[in-house]
Amino acid sequence: MSHKKKNEYRIEYILIVVSFLMGGIGMLILIRFTPLVNVLFRDYIITKNETKIFEKNSLSESVKKIYDAVTVIEGYYNESLAETGTGFIYKVDDKYGYIITNEHVLENTNEVKVVLTTEEEKKAEVLGKDEYLDLAVLRIEKKGIKQVANIGSSDKVNLGDTIFTIGTPLGYDYRGSITSGILSGKERMVAVNSSSEKTDDWMMKVLQTDASINPGNSGGPLLNASGEVIGICTLKLIDSEIEGMGFAIPIEDAMSHIDLLEKGEKIKWPVLGINMVNLSDTSSIVNNQIEVPTAVKEGIIITGTKDGTDASSKLKKGDIITHINNDEVKDIAHLRYELYQYKPDDSIIITILRNDKEKKIKVKLSE
């Protein structure tokens, strides 16, 4: 081969190597300074003020993991549709599928039906329910069930994480609606009113989200970005004037009681054994002829005790309860929340004001 020919081959080789290096450098630049790769892999990088924010382009793959496990809940009273809500299948056995929903979805109903995503309608058996937990467990025949929800953990989800819901807002026509948002708050204490009275009945510890939760979403799953259930949506805590604030029962709280509800066993909540009113309820205080020190602004006033309880021999009318085991209680809703952390037959220390003097009294709880 001539010397000239060798030089030509050498130049071509050098050009190939240079082209390869330039191509590699160009690709590195694309990866580093443009969203090209993220578009290809369905992730976007948004750069603002040198801060990178990673966002999923779609939750569709996560939706597929849960969609067919979500059901429409229809509650009937004397064959007329009375309530519509949402539920999800959390387990199956050889014969049945088991569904979680909210207890308040079943209020004023004497028959419950479940509609699957296949449009198949099934009669449901109510195994157990609890008003305080706002949970109910239903059972349907296994045939036709296509999917079971994966139970996740609300403890592992951080504020600002992407979450989504699937439910039946405003009734059957909008079944399977998906909304998304972020986890806005954890361990929120929200008052619940289950009656027509203005006084709140108890407190619930809930998750807060800005995802849309509308009438009919009650009982449906709140899900993390992987499609795992982290909570159970509830509208029992929603006021008509509130916007962008949805709430969900943490899944851990629900699952810790699910075995009892499956068995149809009643949840045993403790009772202190007193009649009481809030310090703010001035009309009830006057009607009960109780005098309250002007310096006392918060607490619960005992208006009577129930025979056969430990409280009947230790507490009396006019006592003002301010603490349970060193935890402050400002009203009846707070007292019940603190009380329901214990079991019947547990003993607690109650701090009261009696004749302007503070006293601590040990009281055994009843069932």
Side-chain angles (χ1 to χ4, degrees), residues 4-59:
K4 181 179 179 181
K5 204 71 172 177
K6 288 181 180 180
N7 285 337
E8 289 177 356
Y9 279 127
R10 187 178 293 109
I11 292 171
E12 288 179 5
Y13 177 76
I14 293 171
L15 289 174
I16 291 171
V17 172
V18 170
S19 298
F20 179 79
L21 291 173
M22 291 300 293
I25 293 170
M27 184 57 68
L28 287 173
I29 292 172
L30 287 174
I31 292 173
R32 177 64 179 83
F33 296 105
T34 76
L36 176 61
V37 173
N38 296 290
V39 171
L40 294 176
F41 289 96
R42 307 182 71 171
D43 285 333
Y44 290 105
I45 298 178
I46 303 170
T47 304
K48 185 177 181 180
N49 298 330
E50 298 183 354
T51 300
K52 293 181 181 178
I53 304 171
F54 293 82
E55 290 188 348
K56 274 288 183 186
N57 183 38
S58 175
L59 289 167

Side-chain angles (χ1 to χ4, degrees), residues 292-341:
V292 180
T294 55
V296 181
K297 303 299 181 183
E298 292 180 326
I300 301 101
I301 299 180
I302 297 175
T303 59
T305 60
K306 298 179 180 179
D307 293 339
T309 63
D310 193 34
S312 65
S313 63
K314 298 178 178 179
L315 302 175
K316 64 180 185 179
K317 180 179 177 179
D319 288 345
I320 301 173
I321 300 175
T322 61
H323 292 78
I324 291 180
N325 283 352
N326 297 320
D327 292 313
E328 185 179 13
V329 288
K330 297 181 179 181
D331 52 33
I332 292 173
H334 279 95
L335 183 144
R336 286 193 174 123
Y337 174 78
E338 294 297 339
L339 202 63
Y340 292 166
Q341 307 307 307

